Structure formats: structure tokens, C-alpha cells
């Protein structure tokens, strides 16, 4: 099972340490596959029942990068497991079977398998499974990037002087970002900022506003009767397609059911749990008649740490006594693609207790660019519109609905970090608090959880320091509640140590990963096995059949020892 | 020295067609961290497959026979056999499955007998094989220290 505590050993290079969950009811195959995967330097967890596998996956502590499952299992159909994993955990799943019939394979693909291996499975096939992990992350990152850059930049620009200093986006980057963005996406977000009629592509960014409309529509229609078409009509957003709504609805449902599960089922419906992992800007305002819980997950953004400057996350929230509602404190936006070779840095911020907790999960490695991860600070009046529609999840203790239309002094904080991960991912990241020019609002934050994947994060919060290390593990870190008196915000410190690699990162990265591939290939070669090409005393017919090993798998030394053979002869042919 | 390895022994077994390349793959996986890997896997296989075959026996005695259930068992058995490279046994399983899909009970019974036979033979051979391995290694040490 994944080790929840940070390990002290240095992180291994991807794909070593890839966390694989194997599910197979055949104990022989389970043992063999486990051995094979360990030989690939992957971290393996085995499971002989699909239900166990789901249980393991749902547990927070155990994290996995990829799941390999047999198709035929006694307790649950492999395809079903596949579906569940895809929806709930959004992990790549590889199917296996001895049956290679096209129809079966097709079924696997239909259900979302990213690969279908035939038994007997070979080492080289297993070595390559990291590609699926990598590919998936790249895809997710691309979606993450599909973001309202313009909006972000506007906000950044309008932010305080202090904050601007910290922005690592410079003009050239922005324009290149913009070029990419123009080509690929049009942002959808706030209607105020964009003219929706210019949208050509269907890539939708579910901004706070848009999501709010969505939720309103759902509420109006009635959660049980809801359907993408109805929602679409009700929302009345030009350019939005049924598909957009459908996929968002699916995620929403999963999100709700996950909350329901977490909080004992106050929500209606029973759907598999999920986390939102497509949109970054996931401050969902919920003015929903269904009882929402506090927990609230934002989605992944990618961040690699490069040039580390002081950044800070300051969570703000409405002063409970002043307004009977809470503010979603932080809006995290990654406006750049992350660059990562083998690391992903994830930040989860969750503010529990009185506040809605927000978790952002950083995501996936990508090749080219450096990401910006930002928490936005909105000056008091200016970007009010952005926060419109923000609402907080109700604290179950409270008896009134969360709602808010006014955020007079809400100030989510801006923190931006662009980071490029060093090759060996030993960089230490420290986040320092950002001192906003405008005093933050009173905030009641109980805890901050920082979760880091494949990287190091050093979080400092008035004494609580957590060091998370190592690529194989992802940790959940919950910092103590500092205080919830008055206006004192909880701060976390993240800063990055070295920036030396940043400039040449992309090439190095590329070379490095290639190098690693080569290393893997070398390891694949048959080492320590003597293959005797010629055996004197063995009759010719036997010699012919020696070539049953694939030539490609054999490298290295062929040892031929006469002495040994005579002994063998004795024993075999005596 | 790797006297006892493998190639010659594998050869003899392979020759007779009982084991295929998968067995070689298993031996490749054996290393210092798991020095008895192959034998462990083989032991696991025989334990698991014996259990499966007992289930199949039972299923065949059922009246009327549940071919769907039988097919599932067989699929499982075939998968298992493929894990150690038991080629012959795998083939017999395939034959069995054919009869199963035709719902030919007579054919099923006959081919299952074949499957059992292959199973037994293979077990014997592999037992001999591992025994031989155990015997050869000490000799190796003896010769070295001797001369």
C-alpha cells in the first residue's frame, strides 16, 4: 500500500516508482505480474478481488498511478471495475486477459481501458505502461490550460503592487500562451469579460458564473429529473453545447455522490464518487437546495517549480460573525502548462471547519512550459464580479443556506508560482505567505491540507512544517488550525530553492527522459543468464530447439563452460 | 556458476512440448531477491489448478451440466496454465472449451480426462526438475571446493 508518510529517500526518476495496482483472481498470475512489475522498478500492490481493489483505491492514503486488471473475475466483471476506476479515480486502467478476441478487446476499449494486454504478458509490455500514465497527465494538463488566461491576467494586473512583483509571467510568455490559447481554445467564462459569440471551439471553461447558472438550472429542473438538454435550455448560454453540459453534469453528479458518501448521505442520489479534475478554476458556487457539504474539491493544476519566489497562500474567508456566509477563500488558477519531467507538484489546499474546503490538486507533467499556479487576490471592489456567485458550502451546523451575493471584503489571495522541477526532484519548496496590500478578511480556517505529488513541498504555518518528499508517494498533509480569531489568515509558505535548471529545462528534460528509457531497456536485457549456444553432448535435434528465446531479448554475454557441461552430462544422461 | 540452469533442463522439458517460452520467462524473473521464484510459482499453480479441476469435476457431475459455469472454470484454468507456460495442458483446455460451447457433454468428459492427464504428467516432470536442481547445486559447490 502506498506509504502515506514522506520518505526520506530521494525521489526516483519517473517511471521508476510508478504505483501500480494489480487485480487478478489468479494467484499464479498475480505473483508473476508482481514480480515483473517490481523488476521494472514499479511499486506494486496486489489484489485478488475487484471489490478489494476498489476499496483500496478509494482509501485516501493509498495512491496509485495506474491499475492493471484482469477481465474475468469472480466478484465483479473487469469491465465494471474499469468503469468505476475511470469515473471515480480517473486513473488509467489496463485490461488483461487470455482471451484476445477482437470483440472483447473492443469492449475493453469502449469501457475506457487504455490498453488491453494478452496473457501471457511479457516484460516489455509491462515496462511500457508508464506511457499511459504520462499520456493521461498530458491530456489533463491540456485541459487545465484551457483557461481564461485573459481573465487571469486582468486580475493579476489589477492586483496590488506587491503581488505583481511576484508574477513570473512575463510578456513573452503571455503572448505565447495567448497564441496557443487562441489556436486551441476560446475561453468561455465570465460573460462580462468575453463575447461569447466569438467562441468557435467547444472547449468550455466552467467558470464560477457558468457553474452557478448550471447549478441554478439543475435546481430549477429538479435534480432527479435533470438531463443535459433541459439544463442546456435552462441555462440559455449561447455557444454552450449539450455535450459540454452532459460531461459537466456527470462530473457534478459524481462530485455530489462523493460528498454524500463523505458526509453520511445528506445529498440525494447515489453515484460513484469523483473529484473534479478537469477544470481548474473550480470555485463552484453552489446555491443549491441540495445540502452541500463543506468539502469541496478544486481540480488539478499543474505546477512545476522553477524560480522560486516567495509566494503565499492566504486564505480568506468571510468573517462568520459579520456575514452569515462564507467565502471561498482561494481560487487557484493555473494558467500555464506545467513542465515536469518526472514530477508533479500538487497542492491541495483545503480549508475545513467553518470554511468550505478547497482542494486543488496539481497535475500532470508536460513538456514545454512552465506553469503558473495562482491564488487570486481580489482587491476589494474591483473584481467583485468575479466573486459574484461564489458561495460557500454550508456548514452542517448552520441552519441556513449558504448564499452570497455580496462579498464586500472578500479577498482571495493571489499566489503565483511557476516552477520547474529539478531533475532529481530534490528541490525544496517553501511557500511563504504573501502579504496582501489589502488586509485580508477575517478568516476561519481550520486546516490546510497540502498534498504533494512527486515533489517537495515545505509548508510552514506558524510552526507547522511539513516536508513531503519523493515521487512515489503522495501525501496528505493537514496542518493544524492556527487560529480563527479575528482577521488572521492561515498562511502557508512555499518557496523554491533552485532555479538553476529552469532555463535549460526542456531539453534536459527531454534528454533525461530518453536516457531513462535507455536505462530501462538495458535493464531489460538478459543479465546473468547464460545461454549456451552450443552443447556438445546434446543431440542435434535438441540443439535446434534452443532458439526458443527471442533473439531481441538476449544481449550480453554468452558463457560457455566446458567443465560444467560434463557435470550436466553425468546427471542428465548417465 | 550456473550449472544447473536451465537451458539443458528446459530443453528436455520443452522438447517434449510440455512447457513453452513462458516458463523461460519465469526463470528469467528469478533473481537474488527471489531465488526460488520459479518453484514457488509452479507450486502455486498446481495448488490453484488442482482446486479448479476439482470444481470442474463437480460441475461435470451436475445434472444437467451447467456449461456456462464450466466455461468460466475452463477459461480460468486456461489462463492459469498459460502462466507457467504449460502448453500442452493449455491446448487440451482449448479443446475442452470447444466441446463446452457445443454443449457436448461426452466430448467435455473426454477432453477433461486429457486435461487431467497433462496436468499430472506436468506435475511429475516439474517435481523431477526441481529435485534435480536441488541435487546439482551442492555438487557444484563440492567440485569447486574439492578441486
Amino acid at each position: 500500500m502506498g506509504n502515506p508518510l514522506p520518505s526520506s529517500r530521494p525521489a526516483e526518476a519517473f517511471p521508476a516508482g510508478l504505483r501500480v495496482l494489480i487485480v487478478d483472481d489468479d494467484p499464479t498470475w498475480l505473483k508473476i505480474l508482481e514480480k515483473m512489475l517490481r523488476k521494472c522498478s514499479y511499486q506494486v500492490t496486489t489484489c485478488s478481488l475487484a471489490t478489494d481493489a476498489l476499496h483500496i483505491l478509494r482509501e485516501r492514503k493509498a495512491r496509485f498511478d495506474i491499475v492493471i486488471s484482469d477481465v474475468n473475475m469472480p466478484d465483479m466483471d473487469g469491465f465494471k471495475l474499469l468503469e468505476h476506476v475511470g469515473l471515480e479515480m480517473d486513473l488509467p486502467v489496463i485490461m488483461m486477459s487470455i482471451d484476445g478476441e477482437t470483440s472483447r478487446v473492443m469492449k475493453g476499449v469502449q469501457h475506457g481501458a487504455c490498453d488491453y494486454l494478452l496473457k501471457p504478458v511479457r516484460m516489455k509490455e509491462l515496462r511500457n505502461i508508464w506511457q499511459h500514465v504520462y499520456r493521461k497527465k498530458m491530456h489533463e494538463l491540456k485541459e487545465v490550460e484551457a483557461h481564461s488566461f485573459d481573465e487571469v491576467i486582468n486580475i493579476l494586473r489589477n492586483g496590488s503592487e506587491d503581488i505583481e512583483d511576484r508574477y513570473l509571467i512575463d510578456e513573452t510568455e503571455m503572448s505565447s500562451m495567448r497564441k496557443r490559447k487562441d489556436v486551441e481554445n476560446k475561453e468561455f467564462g465570465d460573460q462580462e469579460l468575453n463575447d461569447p459569440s466569438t467562441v468557435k471551439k467547444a472547449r468550455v471553461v466552467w467558470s464560477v458564473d457558468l457553474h452557478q447558472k448550471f447549478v441554478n438550472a439543475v435546481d430549477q429542473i429538479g435534480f432527479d429529473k435533470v438531463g443535459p438538454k433541459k439544463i442546456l435550455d435552462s441555462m440559455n448560454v449561447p455557444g454552450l453545447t449539450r455535450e459540454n453540459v452532459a460531461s459537466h453534469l456527470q462530473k457534478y453528479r459524481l462530485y455530489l455522490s462523493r460528498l454524500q458518501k463523505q458526509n453520511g448521505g445528506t445529498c440525494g442520489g447515489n453515484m460513484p464518487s469523483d473529484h473534479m479534475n478537469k477544470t481548474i478554476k473550480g470555485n463552484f458556487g453552489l446555491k443549491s437546495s441540495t445540502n452541500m457539504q463543506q468539502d469541496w474539491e478544486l481540480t488539478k493544476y499543474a505546477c512545476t517549480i522553477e524560480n522560486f519566489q516567495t509566494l503565499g497562500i492566504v486564505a480568506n474567508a468571510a468573517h462568520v460573525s459579520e456575514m452569515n456566509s462564507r467565502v471561498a477563500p482561494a481560487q487557484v488558477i493555473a494558467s500555464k502548462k506545467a513542465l515536469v519531467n518526472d514530477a508533479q507538484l500538487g497542492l491541495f489546499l483545503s480549508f475545513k471547519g467553518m470554511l468550505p474546503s478547497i482542494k486543488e490538486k496539481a497535475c500532470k507533467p508536460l513538456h514545454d512550459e512552465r506553469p503558473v499556479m495562482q491564488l487570486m487576490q481580489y482587491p476589494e471592489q474591483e473584481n467583485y464580479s468575479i466573486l459574484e456567485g461564489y458561495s460557500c458550502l454550508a456548514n452542517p451546523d448552520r441552519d441556513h443556506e449558504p448564499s452570497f451575493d455580496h462579498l464586500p471584503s472578500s479577498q482571495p489571495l493571489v499566489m503565483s508560482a511557476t516552477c520547474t522541477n529539478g531533475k532529481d526532484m530534490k528541490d525544496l519548496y517553501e511557500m511563504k505567505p504573501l502579504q496582501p496590500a489589502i488586509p485580508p478578511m477575517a478568516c476561519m480556517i481550520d486546516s490546510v491540507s497540502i498534498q504533494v505529488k512527486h515533489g517537495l513541498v515545505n509548508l510552514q504555518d506558524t510552526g507547522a512544517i511539513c516536508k513531503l518528499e519523493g515521487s512515489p508517494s503522495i501525501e496528505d498533509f493537514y496542518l493544524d488550525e492556527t487560529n480563527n480569531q479575528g482577521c488572521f489568515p492561515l498562511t502557508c509558505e512555499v518557496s523554491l530553492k533552485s532555479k538553476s535548471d529552469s532555463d535549460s529545462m526542456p531539453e534536459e528534460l527531454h534528454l533525461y527522459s530518453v536516457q531513462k528509457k535507455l536505462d530501462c531497456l538495458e535493464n531489460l536485457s538478459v543479465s546473468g543468464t547464460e545461454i549456451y549456444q552450443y552443447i556438445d553432448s546434446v543431440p542435434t535435434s535438441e540443439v535446434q530447439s534452443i532458439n526458443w528465446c527471442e533473439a531481441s531479448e538476449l544481449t550480453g554475454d554468452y558463457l560457455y563452460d566446458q567443465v560444467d557441461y560434463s557435470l550436466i552430462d553425468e546427471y542428465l544422461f548417465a | 556458476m550456473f550449472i544447473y540452469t536451465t537451458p539443458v533442463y528446459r530443453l528436455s522439458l520443452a522438447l517434449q512440448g510440455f512447457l513453452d517460452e513462458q516458463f523461460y520467462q519465469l526463470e528469467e524473473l528469478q533473481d537474488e531477491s527471489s531465488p526460488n521464484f520459479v518453484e514457488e510459482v509452479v507450486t502455486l499453480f498446481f495448488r490453484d489448478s488442482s482446486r479448479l479441476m476439482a470444481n470442474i469435476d463437480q460441475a461435470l457431475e451436475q445434472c444437467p451440466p451447467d456449461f456456462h459455469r464450466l466455461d468460466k472454470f475452463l477459461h480460468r484454468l486456461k489462463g492459469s496454465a498459460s502462466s507457467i507456460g504449460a502448453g500442452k495442458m493449455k491446448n487440451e483446455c482449448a479443446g475442452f472449451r470447444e466441446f463446452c460451447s457445443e454443449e457436448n457433454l461426452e466430448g467435455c468428459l473426454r477432453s477433461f480426462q486429457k486435461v487431467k492427464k497433462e496436468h499430472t504428467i506436468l506435475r511429475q516432470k516439474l517435481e523431477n526438475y526441481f529435485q534435480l536442481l536441488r541435487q546439482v547445486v551442492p555438487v557444484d559447490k563440492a567440485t569447486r571446493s574439492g578441486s
Side-chain angles (χ1 to χ4, degrees), chain B residues 44-54 77 80 89 119:
Chain B
L44 208 52
F45 163 73
F46 280 111
R47 194 186 312 152
D48 187 49
S49 55
S50 301
R51 187 182 50 84
L52 259 178
M53 286 165 65
L77 188 60
S80 227
M89 193 175 149
H119 187 250

Side-chain angles (χ1 to χ4, degrees), chain B:
Chain B
M1 273 301 122
F2 297 58
I3 304 177
Y4 56 87
T5 27
T6 347
V8 183
Y9 301 127
R10 276 182 307 191
L11 259 183
S12 66
L13 287 171
L15 247 198
Q16 302 168 54
F18 289 101
L19 291 177
D20 61 28
E21 191 187 330
Q22 174 65 12
F23 194 74
Y24 167 72
Q25 297 283 328
L26 293 186
E27 301 201 302
E28 283 298 292
L29 288 175
Q30 187 159 299
D31 56 17
E32 307 81 38
S33 66
S34 48
N36 299 311
F37 181 71
V38 186
E39 191 168 0
E40 286 166 9
V41 171
V42 168
T43 310
L44 208 52
F45 163 73
F46 280 111
R47 194 186 312 152
D48 187 49
S49 55
S50 301
R51 187 182 50 84
L52 259 178
M53 286 165 65
N55 288 341
I56 295 177
D57 258 329
Q58 262 185 359
L60 282 171
E61 283 169 20
Q62 258 188 320
C63 232
D66 183 349
F67 287 106
H68 182 68
R69 197 158 157 260
L70 262 176
D71 185 69
K72 283 197 159 181
F73 283 137
L74 274 170
H75 191 262
R76 196 48 187 76
L77 188 60
K78 196 168 158 224
S80 227
S82 71
S83 72
I84 65 163
K88 269 197 176 180
M89 193 175 149
K90 205 165 66 163
N91 290 337
E92 295 297 343
C93 282
F96 188 160
R97 267 188 113 191
E98 285 271 318
F99 287 122
C100 213
S101 63
E102 295 164 11
E103 304 214 345
N104 179 346
L105 184 61
E106 184 56 41
C108 283
L109 288 165
R110 269 186 288 120
S111 58
F112 189 49
Q113 290 311 308
K114 288 193 190 156
V115 172
K116 281 203 270 196
K117 191 174 127 210
E118 291 301 332
H119 187 250
T120 310
I121 294 173
L122 186 62
R123 181 188 240 142
Q124 194 57 58
K125 285 196 177 291
L126 283 169
E127 272 175 15
N128 292 346
Y129 174 53
F130 289 118
Q131 219 170 34
L132 205 51
L133 288 187
R134 277 188 285 266
Q135 284 172 11
V136 176
V137 174
V139 169
D140 174 34
K141 288 187 187 152
T143 48
R144 279 211 234 167
S145 52
S147 50

Side-chain angles (χ1 to χ4, degrees), chain A residues 209-419:
Chain A
D209 252 12
L210 198 60
H211 181 77
Q212 191 57 57
K213 288 197 166 72
F214 171 84
V215 173
N216 291 343
V218 170
D219 282 352
Q220 254 183 329
I221 301 169
F223 192 75
D224 299 321
K225 306 192 221 100
V226 93
K229 187 82 175 62
K230 288 187 188 165
I231 299 174
L232 183 64
D233 293 339
S234 171
M235 280 174 76
N236 196 23
V237 172
L240 193 65
T241 70
R242 195 197 150 278
E243 286 72 32
N244 300 139
V245 176
S247 76
H248 193 72
L249 176 63
Q250 180 188 52
K251 289 176 199 154
Y252 184 59
R253 279 195 171 121
L254 294 173
Y255 158 75
L256 290 183
S257 78
R258 188 188 51 77
L259 288 186
Q260 171 197 11
K261 229 175 51 126
Q262 272 178 13
N263 294 293
T266 44
C267 302
N270 53 344
M271 291 152 280
S273 59
D274 183 34
H275 58 272
M276 311 282 192
N277 59 2
K278 302 291 184 222
T279 58
I280 296 184
K281 198 172 158 193
N283 295 315
F284 296 108
L286 293 184
K287 271 202 260 184
S288 166
S289 55
T290 64
N291 230 339
M292 286 299 146
Q293 324 293 338
Q294 294 174 11
D295 276 356
W296 179 247
E297 274 190 349
L298 286 186
T299 56
K300 307 170 194 165
Y301 54 78
C303 149
T304 61
I305 299 185
E306 166 184 31
N307 191 359
F308 205 75
Q309 302 184 1
T310 44
L311 313 159
I313 308 172
V314 177
N316 296 291
H319 204 295
V320 176
S321 58
E322 280 169 12
M323 33 175 63
N324 291 327
S325 57
R326 266 136 255 153
V327 182
Q331 179 183 17
V332 177
I333 295 178
S335 59
K336 265 187 172 178
K337 274 201 272 202
L339 156 121
V340 178
N341 45 357
D342 10 25
Q344 336 166 356
L345 181 69
L347 275 184
F348 279 93
L349 304 172
S350 86
F351 304 99
K352 292 204 181 151
M354 309 279 267
L355 288 182
S357 59
I358 295 181
K359 280 188 188 153
E360 290 96 27
K361 200 154 57 161
C363 154
K364 336 282 163 140
L366 237 223
H367 257 305
D368 309 314
E369 290 158 49
R370 292 156 297 182
V372 172
M373 170 181 85
Q374 298 156 347
L375 294 179
M376 313 293 294
Q377 166 150 24
Y378 300 106
E380 217 166 321
Q381 282 82 24
E382 274 182 291
N383 294 293
Y384 177 78
S385 61
I386 307 282
L387 296 175
E388 215 170 57
Y390 248 77
S391 74
C392 308
L393 302 174
N395 183 327
D397 296 341
R398 319 281 305 189
D399 50 9
H400 53 264
E401 298 245 290
S403 72
F404 62 77
D405 305 311
H406 307 284
L407 291 175
S409 45
S410 65
Q411 295 162 26
L413 214 102
V414 182
M415 172 197 79
S416 72
T418 57
C419 22

Side-chain angles (χ1 to χ4, degrees), chain A residues 25-57:
Chain A
D25 63 328
D26 186 332
T28 320
W29 268 117
L30 208 57
K31 186 177 171 82
I32 296 172
L33 290 165
E34 180 185 19
K35 181 72 185 170
M36 282 179 160
L37 289 167
R38 284 200 206 273
K39 280 227 158 180
C40 300
S41 308
Y42 295 155
Q43 263 190 23
V44 190
T45 308
T46 60
C47 206
S48 47
L49 287 176
T51 42
D52 285 348
L54 274 179
H55 180 71
I56 292 173
L57 287 167

Side-chain angles (χ1 to χ4, degrees), chain A residues 47-84:
Chain A
C47 206
S48 47
L49 287 176
T51 42
D52 285 348
L54 274 179
H55 180 71
I56 292 173
L57 287 167
R58 283 169 181 158
E59 251 182 61
R60 238 152 230 268
K61 304 236 167 178
R63 299 286 171 165
F64 294 96
D65 296 310
I66 189 165
V67 177
I68 303 181
S69 170
D70 190 83
V71 167
N72 302 90
M73 283 189 294
D75 61 332
M76 190 192 291
D77 186 26
F79 296 119
K80 247 206 146 157
L81 174 65
L82 168 56
E83 265 179 27
H84 276 294

